[in-house]
Amino acid sequence: MTKRKKLAITIGDPTGIGAEVVLKALLDEAVINECNPLIIGDRIVIEEAIEKMQIPFDIGAYDILDLKLIKNRKFQKCIPTEQGGIASVAYIKKAVDFASVNIVDGIVTAPISKESLKMAGYPWHGHTEMIAEFTNTNDFAMMLCGGGLRVILATTHASIKDVPYLISKERVFKTILLAEKACGLLGVAEPKIGVTGLNPHAGEGGIFGDEEILYITPAIDEARKVGIPVEGPFPPDALFWKAYNGRYDIVVCMYHDQGLIPLKMIAFDKGVNITVGLPIVRTSPDHGTAYDIAWKGLADPSSMIEAIKLAARLKI
Protein backbone atom coordinates (compact mmCIF):
# COMPACT_ATOMS: atom_id res chain seq x y z
CA MET A 1 0.00 0.00 0.00
CA THR A 2 1.30 3.44 -0.97
CA LYS A 3 2.13 5.64 2.00
CA ARG A 4 -0.21 8.58 2.37
CA LYS A 5 1.55 11.90 1.94
CA LYS A 6 1.62 14.40 4.79
CA LEU A 7 0.11 17.65 3.49
CA ALA A 8 -0.06 21.01 5.23
CA ILE A 9 -3.44 22.57 4.46
CA THR A 10 -3.87 26.24 5.29
CA ILE A 11 -7.34 27.65 6.01
CA GLY A 12 -6.77 30.85 4.03
CA ASP A 13 -8.36 34.18 4.89
CA PRO A 14 -10.38 33.54 8.08
CA THR A 15 -13.13 35.90 6.88
CA GLY A 16 -13.80 33.95 3.66
CA ILE A 17 -14.81 30.41 2.71
CA GLY A 18 -11.39 28.85 3.39
CA ALA A 19 -12.14 27.08 6.66
CA GLU A 20 -15.45 25.80 5.31
CA VAL A 21 -14.03 24.25 2.13
CA VAL A 22 -11.08 22.74 4.00
CA LEU A 23 -13.31 21.05 6.57
CA LYS A 24 -15.78 19.81 3.97
CA ALA A 25 -12.97 18.52 1.76
CA LEU A 26 -11.48 16.53 4.63
CA LEU A 27 -14.78 14.72 5.03
CA ASP A 28 -14.32 13.27 1.54
CA GLU A 29 -13.24 9.64 1.71
CA ALA A 30 -11.00 9.87 -1.35
CA VAL A 31 -9.09 12.78 0.21
CA ILE A 32 -8.41 10.94 3.45
CA ASN A 33 -7.38 7.83 1.55
CA GLU A 34 -4.71 9.83 -0.28
CA CYS A 35 -3.24 12.12 2.35
CA ASN A 36 -2.46 12.66 6.01
CA PRO A 37 -3.52 16.28 6.59
CA LEU A 38 -2.06 18.87 8.94
CA ILE A 39 -4.44 21.81 9.17
CA ILE A 40 -2.68 25.13 9.71
CA GLY A 41 -4.73 28.07 10.95
CA ASP A 42 -6.53 29.17 14.06
CA ARG A 43 -8.43 26.59 16.06
CA ILE A 44 -11.00 29.19 17.10
CA VAL A 45 -11.83 29.85 13.42
CA ILE A 46 -12.20 26.13 12.77
CA GLU A 47 -14.44 25.67 15.81
CA GLU A 48 -16.56 28.62 14.75
CA ALA A 49 -16.95 27.18 11.24
CA ILE A 50 -17.95 23.77 12.56
CA GLU A 51 -20.56 25.25 14.90
CA LYS A 52 -21.91 28.09 12.76
CA MET A 53 -22.30 25.99 9.60
CA GLN A 54 -23.03 22.68 11.33
CA ILE A 55 -20.22 20.81 9.58
CA PRO A 56 -20.00 17.23 10.93
CA PHE A 57 -16.25 17.47 11.51
CA ASP A 58 -14.58 15.71 14.44
CA ILE A 59 -11.91 18.27 15.33
CA GLY A 60 -10.22 15.82 17.70
CA ALA A 61 -9.50 13.37 14.90
CA TYR A 62 -7.18 15.68 12.96
CA ASP A 63 -3.78 17.28 13.47
CA ILE A 64 -4.24 21.04 13.80
CA LEU A 65 -1.48 23.61 14.20
CA ASP A 66 -3.13 26.51 16.03
CA LEU A 67 -1.25 29.77 15.44
CA LYS A 68 -3.54 31.62 17.92
CA LEU A 69 -3.75 34.80 15.85
CA ILE A 70 -7.53 35.17 16.05
CA LYS A 71 -8.47 35.81 19.67
CA ASN A 72 -12.24 35.24 19.76
CA ARG A 73 -15.17 34.17 17.63
CA LYS A 74 -16.35 37.72 17.09
CA PHE A 75 -13.72 38.32 14.41
CA GLN A 76 -15.03 40.12 11.33
CA LYS A 77 -16.38 37.87 8.60
CA CYS A 78 -17.24 38.17 4.91
CA ILE A 79 -15.06 41.22 4.23
CA PRO A 80 -11.36 41.87 3.64
CA THR A 81 -9.55 42.87 6.83
CA GLU A 82 -6.05 43.66 8.00
CA GLN A 83 -6.31 40.87 10.56
CA GLY A 84 -7.29 38.42 7.84
CA GLY A 85 -4.30 39.44 5.73
CA ILE A 86 -1.87 39.01 8.62
CA ALA A 87 -3.30 35.61 9.53
CA SER A 88 -3.32 34.39 5.91
CA VAL A 89 0.38 35.12 5.46
CA ALA A 90 1.32 33.55 8.80
CA TYR A 91 -0.47 30.31 7.91
CA ILE A 92 1.24 30.12 4.52
CA LYS A 93 4.69 30.95 5.88
CA LYS A 94 4.42 28.17 8.46
CA ALA A 95 3.32 25.67 5.80
CA VAL A 96 6.19 26.65 3.50
CA ASP A 97 8.67 26.36 6.36
CA PHE A 98 7.44 22.84 7.13
CA ALA A 99 7.59 21.77 3.47
CA SER A 100 11.07 23.24 3.05
CA VAL A 101 12.48 20.93 5.73
CA ASN A 102 10.35 17.92 4.73
CA ILE A 103 8.11 17.93 7.79
CA VAL A 104 5.31 17.77 5.22
CA ASP A 105 5.38 16.51 1.63
CA GLY A 106 3.54 19.48 0.18
CA ILE A 107 1.10 22.29 0.89
CA VAL A 108 -2.46 23.08 -0.16
CA THR A 109 -3.59 26.65 0.37
CA ALA A 110 -7.17 27.82 0.80
CA PRO A 111 -8.10 31.18 -0.77
CA ILE A 112 -6.71 34.49 0.44
CA SER A 113 -7.66 38.08 -0.38
CA LYS A 114 -5.41 40.43 -2.33
CA GLU A 115 -7.22 43.33 -0.67
CA SER A 116 -6.57 41.91 2.80
CA LEU A 117 -2.89 41.50 1.95
CA LYS A 118 -2.76 45.14 0.89
CA MET A 119 -4.56 46.26 4.06
CA ALA A 120 -1.97 44.36 6.12
CA GLY A 121 0.87 46.13 4.29
CA TYR A 122 2.16 43.18 2.24
CA PRO A 123 3.45 43.71 -1.32
CA TRP A 124 2.29 40.46 -2.92
CA HIS A 125 -0.68 40.13 -5.25
CA GLY A 126 -1.39 36.57 -4.18
CA HIS A 127 -0.07 33.16 -3.14
CA THR A 128 2.11 32.61 -6.20
CA GLU A 129 4.45 35.56 -5.76
CA MET A 130 4.46 35.22 -1.98
CA ILE A 131 5.48 31.56 -1.92
CA ALA A 132 8.09 32.14 -4.62
CA GLU A 133 9.68 34.76 -2.36
CA PHE A 134 9.46 32.52 0.71
CA THR A 135 11.29 29.76 -1.19
CA ASN A 136 13.79 32.06 -2.95
CA THR A 137 12.44 30.97 -6.34
CA ASN A 138 13.10 33.17 -9.35
CA ASP A 139 11.62 31.14 -12.22
CA PHE A 140 8.05 30.11 -11.48
CA ALA A 141 4.64 30.12 -13.11
CA MET A 142 0.99 29.58 -12.34
CA MET A 143 -0.51 26.47 -13.94
CA LEU A 144 -4.16 25.53 -13.77
CA CYS A 145 -5.76 22.17 -14.49
CA GLY A 146 -9.36 21.17 -14.93
CA GLY A 147 -11.84 19.64 -17.34
CA GLY A 148 -9.10 18.13 -19.48
CA LEU A 149 -7.27 21.43 -19.96
CA ARG A 150 -3.91 22.53 -18.58
CA VAL A 151 -2.80 26.14 -18.92
CA ILE A 152 0.35 27.90 -17.74
CA LEU A 153 0.71 31.67 -17.63
CA ALA A 154 3.61 33.79 -18.88
CA THR A 155 2.26 36.75 -16.90
CA THR A 156 -0.06 36.53 -13.91
CA HIS A 157 -1.64 39.36 -11.94
CA ALA A 158 -0.99 42.37 -14.14
CA SER A 159 -3.16 45.04 -15.69
CA ILE A 160 -4.06 44.17 -19.26
CA LYS A 161 -2.50 47.46 -20.43
CA ASP A 162 0.85 46.33 -18.99
CA VAL A 163 0.90 42.84 -20.48
CA PRO A 164 2.48 43.74 -23.87
CA TYR A 165 5.39 45.36 -22.06
CA LEU A 166 5.89 42.27 -19.88
CA ILE A 167 6.11 39.87 -22.82
CA SER A 168 9.72 39.09 -23.74
CA LYS A 169 11.57 36.27 -25.44
CA GLU A 170 13.16 35.31 -22.12
CA ARG A 171 9.85 35.26 -20.23
CA VAL A 172 8.06 33.16 -22.85
CA PHE A 173 11.03 30.78 -23.16
CA LYS A 174 11.14 30.24 -19.39
CA THR A 175 7.39 29.59 -19.33
CA ILE A 176 7.77 26.96 -22.04
CA LEU A 177 10.50 25.28 -19.96
CA LEU A 178 8.18 25.36 -16.94
CA ALA A 179 5.36 23.91 -19.05
CA GLU A 180 7.54 20.89 -19.82
CA LYS A 181 8.43 20.59 -16.13
CA ALA A 182 4.77 20.84 -15.15
CA CYS A 183 3.86 17.98 -17.44
CA GLY A 184 6.60 15.92 -15.81
CA LEU A 185 5.07 16.58 -12.39
CA LEU A 186 1.78 15.29 -13.76
CA GLY A 187 3.34 12.17 -15.26
CA VAL A 188 3.07 13.27 -18.91
CA ALA A 189 6.29 11.82 -20.29
CA GLU A 190 6.29 13.29 -23.81
CA PRO A 191 4.19 16.44 -23.63
CA LYS A 192 2.82 18.30 -26.63
CA ILE A 193 3.01 22.02 -25.82
CA GLY A 194 1.03 24.71 -27.63
CA VAL A 195 1.70 28.45 -27.30
CA THR A 196 -0.86 31.20 -27.80
CA GLY A 197 -0.27 34.52 -29.47
CA LEU A 198 -0.90 37.76 -27.65
CA ASN A 199 -2.86 39.58 -30.34
CA PRO A 200 -5.99 38.65 -32.33
CA HIS A 201 -5.18 35.98 -34.93
CA ALA A 202 -1.70 35.75 -33.32
CA GLY A 203 -0.87 39.11 -34.86
CA GLU A 204 -1.76 38.11 -38.45
CA GLY A 205 1.83 38.53 -39.61
CA GLY A 206 2.30 41.81 -37.78
CA ILE A 207 -0.96 43.47 -38.88
CA PHE A 208 -2.44 43.45 -35.36
CA GLY A 209 0.78 43.65 -33.35
CA ASP A 210 4.37 42.45 -33.52
CA GLU A 211 4.87 40.68 -30.15
CA GLU A 212 4.52 37.32 -31.89
CA ILE A 213 7.27 38.20 -34.39
CA LEU A 214 9.62 39.89 -31.94
CA TYR A 215 9.29 37.73 -28.82
CA ILE A 216 6.97 34.73 -28.92
CA THR A 217 8.17 32.98 -32.08
CA PRO A 218 11.87 33.44 -31.19
CA ALA A 219 11.16 31.90 -27.76
CA ILE A 220 9.48 28.91 -29.39
CA ASP A 221 12.39 28.50 -31.79
CA GLU A 222 14.84 28.60 -28.88
CA ALA A 223 12.84 25.96 -27.00
CA ARG A 224 12.84 23.69 -30.02
CA LYS A 225 16.63 23.97 -30.23
CA VAL A 226 16.89 22.41 -26.76
CA GLY A 227 14.53 19.60 -27.70
CA ILE A 228 11.20 20.76 -26.31
CA PRO A 229 8.19 19.64 -28.42
CA VAL A 230 6.42 23.01 -28.72
CA GLU A 231 4.32 24.62 -31.44
CA GLY A 232 2.87 28.08 -32.06
CA PRO A 233 2.11 30.85 -31.66
CA PHE A 234 -1.53 30.12 -32.44
CA PRO A 235 -4.70 32.18 -32.10
CA PRO A 236 -6.00 31.13 -28.69
CA ASP A 237 -9.57 30.53 -29.85
CA ALA A 238 -8.37 27.72 -32.13
CA LEU A 239 -5.63 26.44 -29.82
CA PHE A 240 -7.91 25.86 -26.86
CA TRP A 241 -10.28 23.82 -28.98
CA LYS A 242 -7.37 21.65 -30.12
CA ALA A 243 -6.07 21.28 -26.55
CA TYR A 244 -9.51 20.35 -25.26
CA ASN A 245 -9.69 17.65 -27.91
CA GLY A 246 -6.30 16.18 -26.99
CA ARG A 247 -3.97 17.72 -29.58
CA TYR A 248 -1.92 19.48 -26.88
CA ASP A 249 -1.17 18.51 -23.27
CA ILE A 250 -0.66 22.07 -22.04
CA VAL A 251 -1.18 25.59 -23.35
CA VAL A 252 1.28 28.41 -22.66
CA CYS A 253 -0.80 31.59 -22.30
CA MET A 254 0.37 35.17 -22.44
CA TYR A 255 -1.87 36.60 -19.72
CA HIS A 256 -4.18 35.67 -16.86
CA ASP A 257 -7.66 35.75 -18.39
CA GLN A 258 -6.52 34.29 -21.70
CA GLY A 259 -5.95 31.01 -19.88
CA LEU A 260 -8.48 31.15 -17.07
CA ILE A 261 -11.60 31.98 -19.06
CA PRO A 262 -11.62 28.75 -21.13
CA LEU A 263 -10.55 26.64 -18.16
CA LYS A 264 -13.22 28.02 -15.85
CA MET A 265 -15.83 27.69 -18.58
CA ILE A 266 -15.43 23.91 -18.45
CA ALA A 267 -14.15 23.34 -14.88
CA PHE A 268 -15.37 26.20 -12.70
CA ASP A 269 -15.97 24.01 -9.65
CA LYS A 270 -12.99 21.66 -10.02
CA GLY A 271 -10.07 23.75 -11.27
CA VAL A 272 -6.76 23.45 -9.44
CA ASN A 273 -3.88 25.92 -9.33
CA ILE A 274 -0.30 24.57 -9.17
CA THR A 275 2.76 26.76 -8.71
CA VAL A 276 5.39 25.33 -11.04
CA GLY A 277 9.10 25.89 -10.44
CA LEU A 278 9.03 25.80 -6.63
CA PRO A 279 11.23 23.40 -4.65
CA ILE A 280 8.05 22.23 -2.88
CA VAL A 281 4.65 20.94 -3.95
CA ARG A 282 1.95 23.61 -3.76
CA THR A 283 -1.63 23.49 -5.02
CA SER A 284 -4.77 25.44 -4.31
CA PRO A 285 -8.40 25.54 -5.40
CA ASP A 286 -9.02 27.80 -8.38
CA HIS A 287 -11.41 30.21 -6.69
CA GLY A 288 -11.32 33.12 -4.30
CA THR A 289 -12.55 33.94 -0.81
CA ALA A 290 -16.18 34.29 -2.00
CA TYR A 291 -17.17 36.79 0.67
CA ASP A 292 -20.69 36.93 -0.74
CA ILE A 293 -21.41 33.36 0.36
CA ALA A 294 -18.87 33.03 3.17
CA TRP A 295 -19.98 31.74 6.57
CA LYS A 296 -23.37 30.67 5.23
CA GLY A 297 -22.60 26.99 4.65
CA LEU A 298 -22.98 27.38 0.87
CA ALA A 299 -19.40 26.89 -0.34
CA ASP A 300 -18.67 23.97 -2.67
CA PRO A 301 -15.50 22.06 -1.65
CA SER A 302 -15.03 20.35 -5.04
CA SER A 303 -12.04 22.44 -6.11
CA MET A 304 -10.37 22.02 -2.71
CA ILE A 305 -10.94 18.26 -2.90
CA GLU A 306 -9.23 18.15 -6.30
CA ALA A 307 -6.37 20.37 -5.06
CA ILE A 308 -5.65 18.05 -2.12
CA LYS A 309 -5.84 14.92 -4.24
CA LEU A 310 -3.52 16.39 -6.86
CA ALA A 311 -1.00 17.56 -4.24
CA ALA A 312 -0.89 14.01 -2.89
CA ARG A 313 0.02 12.71 -6.35
CA LEU A 314 2.61 15.28 -7.41
CA LYS A 315 6.31 14.78 -6.86
CA ILE A 316 9.01 17.40 -7.25
Side-chain angles (χ1 to χ4, degrees):
M1 183 176 178
T2 303
K3 181 182 177 182
R4 293 185 302 161
K5 287 189 177 179
K6 182 82 170 179
L7 297 178
I9 304 175
T10 63
I11 66 169
D13 189 329
T15 76
I17 63 171
E20 179 183 355
V21 295
V22 167
L23 298 177
K24 286 181 175 179
L26 292 177
L27 295 176
D28 186 273
E29 185 176 352
V31 167
I32 295 304
N33 286 340
E34 294 204 32
C35 81
N36 180 17
L38 168 65
I39 306 171
I40 298 180
D42 278 286
R43 189 181 182 92
I44 201 166
V45 175
I46 296 167
E47 290 173 343
E48 174 76 344
I50 292 170
E51 182 177 320
K52 188 175 181 66
M53 292 176 281
Q54 298 183 330
I55 301 172
F57 188 88
D58 181 3
I59 196 169
Y62 294 84
D63 290 334
I64 297 174
L65 180 60
D66 181 8
L67 297 194
K68 296 182 171 63
L69 298 173
I70 307 298
K71 303 304 181 184
N72 61 67
R73 293 192 184 183
K74 293 182 180 181
F75 63 92
Q76 288 180 294
K77 301 177 178 69
C78 309
I79 58 171
T81 65
E82 178 183 354
Q83 183 183 44
I86 292 171
S88 298
V89 172
Y91 305 155
I92 297 161
K93 183 64 168 64
K94 182 61 70 174
V96 170
D97 288 346
F98 278 11
S100 297
V101 294
N102 300 315
I103 293 175
V104 297
D105 299 303
I107 70 174
V108 184
T109 57
I112 60 174
S113 162
K114 296 172 182 61
E115 191 171 350
S116 292
L117 293 182
K118 184 177 180 180
M119 293 170 72
Y122 296 115
W124 308 293
H125 294 299
H127 278 110
T128 304
E129 298 83 2
M130 182 196 311
I131 297 173
E133 183 171 321
F134 288 164
T135 57
N136 297 310
T137 302
N138 293 318
D139 296 332
F140 59 93
M142 179 188 296
M143 180 179 73
L144 298 107
C145 306
L149 276 182
R150 303 182 186 100
V151 303
I152 190 165
L153 310 180
T155 66
T156 52
H157 300 113
S159 170
I160 195 71
K161 67 181 174 59
D162 295 330
V163 170
Y165 304 101
L166 296 172
I167 298 299
S168 66
K169 175 185 173 182
E170 181 183 36
R171 182 184 287 266
V172 176
F173 175 69
K174 286 182 178 179
T175 308
I176 294 170
L177 294 181
L178 289 168
E180 183 182 47
K181 181 174 183 177
C183 287
L185 291 174
L186 295 166
V188 181
E190 298 180 0
K192 300 181 291 292
I193 302 169
V195 180
T196 68
L198 174 66
N199 299 293
H201 303 282
E204 197 78 75
I207 296 174
F208 303 128
D210 57 9
E211 286 83 5
E212 288 79 9
I213 295 170
L214 295 176
Y215 311 120
I216 302 174
T217 297
I220 292 169
D221 291 342
E222 188 70 21
R224 286 176 178 157
K225 288 179 182 177
V226 296
I228 297 177
V230 57
E231 297 178 353
F234 299 116
D237 52 0
L239 178 54
F240 282 115
W241 183 86
K242 293 177 181 178
Y244 182 67
N245 285 279
R247 173 77 177 270
Y248 295 98
D249 296 299
I250 190 167
V251 177
V252 176
C253 302
M254 294 302 110
Y255 59 93
H256 185 277
D257 285 11
Q258 187 183 61
L260 269 67
I261 288 173
L263 188 134
K264 287 196 174 185
M265 178 64 71
I266 61 173
F268 186 83
D269 294 328
K270 293 191 175 182
V272 177
N273 178 11
I274 305 167
T275 307
V276 183
L278 299 175
I280 63 173
V281 168
R282 180 261 166 166
T283 68
S284 71
D286 182 27
H287 59 69
T289 50
Y291 291 132
D292 57 327
I293 63 167
W295 292 91
K296 297 175 182 177
L298 301 176
D300 184 346
S302 298
S303 186
M304 176 59 80
I305 289 171
E306 296 303 316
I308 297 171
K309 288 162 60 178
L310 187 57
R313 297 167 188 168
L314 294 178
K315 185 176 182 180
I316 295 294

